[in-house]
Amino acid sequence: MFIGFLKQAINSLQLQSQGRTSYRVNQWCKWLSPGLAVKRWLLISIGGVFLASLGLAIWVKLTPIFWILELLKGLLGLLADILPNYISGPVLLVSGVLLVLWGQSRTVGSITEVLRPIGDEEELIDVLLAHRRLYRGPKIVVIGGGTGLSTLLRGLKTYSANITAIVTVADDGGSSGRLREEFGVLPPGDIRNCLAALADEEKLLTELFQYRFRAGDGLTGHSFGNLFLTAMTDITGDLVQAIAASSKVLAVRGQVLPATLSDVRLWAELTDGRRIQGESNIPKAAGKIVKIGCIPENPPAVPAAIKAIKEADYIIIGPGSLYTSLIPNLLVQEIADAIAATNVPRIYICNIMTQPGETDGYSVAEHIQAIDDACGNRRLFDAVLVHKKMPSAQALIRYAQQNAHPVFLDRESVTKLGRRIVPANILFEDENGAVRHDPQRLAKVLLKWYSGAHHGK
């Protein structure tokens, strides 16, 4: 019985040892992957050592090198007298290779311990491979605002690090609105959400950036990230520089840019003749919007945003509130012009549900038509992504109580507008029946469509 138990223990140890050996071999094989920019620098370093040694030998007229070679010659001769060359040669060769492997292994291990965050067990080679994959991803420009944009970014950052989020600065409600009025800064809320979504830093730091104060004179309702961006804007004198500084703190993949640095105020004209001013007031007016604009009428775009659009491989508009998150970016004429001038795949992500006060009763085609009208009746995208399944009965009841319903797909009208329809199952529904886009599913569908559209051009 004891012998049987001992055999099982020995077999288990052997399997564990084999597993560890196989894992280490697999990790070492990864270092041979092309494009890591590691092997080339190692070979260059070895070449440098050889050239430096040769130069030193020439400089000192070979005198020290000569005696060292003579000493080695004598030692090798002595070794050959004791052991034949067919034994001593392989022994020295294997010993040298083992020492090199041991030294390199310890070097890589030491570097990994320094670079790896506390609690992260990921191997350095895996980090390098992921880094190479992400930075070889397509240059994606995403345009929008609100929670829809940050949801999309959380999914996209697993496919590419070359992401530029162009965000509306028309928000005038909540914490952003208060900071806008009190400090005269551009609203930081949507920008903060996008930075947090693209963050590659530890979870605690991201949670700190999103933390909202629940007490304190003047602090209640403000998020730490909003206050941080406001302070950085005051220090740097520029929101773009403040975002860049925050991006370094959060180790953001890609970049987040405001659509404009102008103090933009939205206005909307309703069918009943009313003219509503202020982004937060438009949904509250509970009317049908016939025209939307901003003051100043033609705000200048941030140059970096235009540059990103011109260099983009892929442009995505949405998801988000149609009139208060998406269209405000396109009211910046330079942005609309730059998108219209591109010849890359462009897609619009339509909302799953209508939004009370903005898109009551809107179909997919009416969403598209509203964007076209706001941009001078131009087509800024080639396709529209729509959810193809109905939400649950629980979700439908919950939203019906708020006068919100699923956006109806009127295929014939969408086709007449010259758009391709991309149907997909991209819905996430929580236990309370709240409906939103699923970040990973959404990103996967978008990248699959991009791949097909890109190769089809």
Side-chain angles (χ1 to χ4, degrees):
M1 180 122 176
F2 173 74
I3 293 175
F5 172 76
L6 187 60
K7 284 182 178 179
Q8 288 181 357
I10 291 172
N11 289 335
S12 177
L13 289 172
Q14 287 177 337
L15 288 173
Q16 290 179 11
S17 177
Q18 291 173 359
R20 286 194 297 268
T21 302
S22 174
Y23 173 76
R24 296 312 305 174
V25 170
N26 181 50
Q27 292 299 309
W28 275 103
C29 287
K30 288 180 180 178
W31 285 100
L32 301 178
S33 301
L36 282 179
V38 172
K39 300 182 293 297
R40 71 190 70 169
W41 301 118
L42 181 61
L43 291 173
I44 288 173
S45 299
I46 294 172
V49 171
F50 174 76
L51 289 177
S53 301
L54 183 61
L56 181 63
I58 294 172
W59 191 10
V60 300
K61 300 180 180 179
L62 297 176
T63 304
I65 303 298
F66 173 77
W67 290 112
I68 291 173
L69 292 175
E70 286 295 311
L71 177 62
L72 290 174
K73 181 180 178 181
L75 290 173
L76 291 173
L78 179 63
L79 184 62
D81 291 339
I82 298 173
L83 293 172
N85 61 345
Y86 61 83
I87 294 177
S88 58
V91 167
L92 287 175
L93 177 62
V94 171
S95 299
V97 170
L98 288 176
L99 284 174
V100 170
L101 291 176
W102 183 43
Q104 290 299 312
S105 176
R106 298 305 300 170
T107 300
V108 171
S110 299
I111 295 172
T112 302
E113 288 179 8
V114 172
L115 297 180
R116 184 166 56 196
I118 297 174
D120 188 353
E121 297 300 323
E122 191 173 11
E123 293 285 346
L124 179 60
I125 180 59
D126 294 322
V127 174
L128 290 174
L129 286 170
H131 182 275
R132 181 190 65 168
R133 176 180 62 82
L134 290 172
Y135 281 87
R136 286 186 173 183
K139 295 179 180 178
I140 304 173
V141 171
V142 185
I143 300 168
T147 57
L149 182 58
S150 56
T151 297
L152 171 60
L153 295 176
R154 278 195 293 274
L156 285 180
K157 73 175 182 181
T158 61
Y159 291 91
S160 177
N162 301 312
I163 301 172
T164 298
I166 299 176
V167 187
T168 177
V169 287
D171 187 11
D172 60 8
S175 170
S176 292
R178 288 165 58 193
L179 291 171
R180 184 174 186 172
E181 294 300 326
E182 293 174 17
F183 294 94
V185 298
L186 293 177
D190 287 350
I191 292 169
R192 182 200 80 241
N193 287 330
C194 291
L195 287 172
L198 288 174
D200 193 30
E201 194 44 85
E202 295 177 16
K203 186 172 181 287
L204 181 61
L205 195 55
T206 306
E207 288 180 353
L208 173 64
F209 210 66
Q210 293 286 65
Y211 175 79
R212 194 172 293 275
F213 294 94
R214 298 179 180 86
D217 188 18
L219 286 175
T220 304
H222 284 304
S223 73
F224 175 81
N226 283 1
L227 296 176
F228 183 86
L229 282 169
T230 300
M232 286 299 298
T233 301
D234 188 49
I235 292 170
T236 61
D238 183 85
L239 179 60
V240 174
Q241 293 184 49
I243 296 170
S246 302
S247 298
K248 291 179 181 178
V249 171
L250 295 170
V252 165
R253 292 182 191 173
Q255 61 177 341
V256 179
L257 297 170
T260 179
L261 292 178
S262 296
D263 184 19
V264 175
R265 305 279 175 169
L266 284 185
W267 57 263
E269 291 181 1
L270 310 182
T271 52
D272 59 11
R274 286 181 295 163
R275 181 184 174 102
I276 309 300
Q277 292 200 17
E279 178 268 343
S280 61
N281 294 324
I282 292 173
K284 296 176 184 177
K288 186 174 177 60
I289 299 170
V290 292
K291 189 175 182 181
I292 192 162
C294 65
I295 301 170
E297 186 175 348
N298 187 22
V302 171
I306 302 302
K307 182 174 183 290
I309 293 171
K310 290 180 177 179
E311 296 176 354
D313 299 317
Y314 189 16
I315 296 174
I316 302 170
I317 300 174
S321 300
L322 178 64
Y323 287 105
T324 54
S325 290
L326 304 188
I327 289 178
N329 293 289
L330 305 176
L331 293 176
V332 180
Q333 193 68 38
E334 291 174 277
I335 289 180
D337 291 343
I339 297 172
T342 60
N343 189 30
V344 299
R346 301 166 301 178
I347 193 169
Y348 162 57
I349 305 170
C350 191
N351 291 338
I352 299 172
M353 309 295 291
T354 60
Q355 185 171 354
E358 282 199 43
T359 56
D360 297 281
Y362 270 40
S363 65
V364 173
E366 286 174 308
H367 279 77
I368 296 171
Q369 190 64 61
I371 296 174
D372 289 352
D373 291 343
C375 303
N377 204 27
R378 290 182 295 178
R379 295 198 315 178
L380 299 189
F381 51 90
D382 317 298
V384 55
L385 177 60
V386 296
H387 181 66
K388 65 180 183 180
K389 289 185 178 181
M390 192 68 71
S392 70
Q394 178 190 5
L396 292 176
I397 293 171
R398 168 182 172 162
Y399 279 88
Q401 292 171 346
Q402 303 169 15
N403 197 30
H405 307 279
V407 176
F408 172 68
L409 173 57
D410 43 349
R411 291 179 176 273
E412 188 175 337
S413 298
V414 172
T415 303
K416 285 182 180 178
L417 290 171
R419 273 31 178 246
R420 282 171 281 174
I421 299 171
V422 183
N425 181 23
I426 49 176
L427 178 144
F428 170 78
E429 188 176 320
D430 65 19
E431 63 277 5
N432 298 317
V435 168
R436 59 182 62 89
H437 289 95
D438 182 279
Q440 295 304 323
R441 288 181 186 175
L442 183 58
K444 185 177 180 180
V445 170
L446 287 168
L447 267 295
K448 184 178 179 181
W449 182 81
Y450 163 75
S451 181
H454 177 68
H455 289 103
K457 280 189 177 278

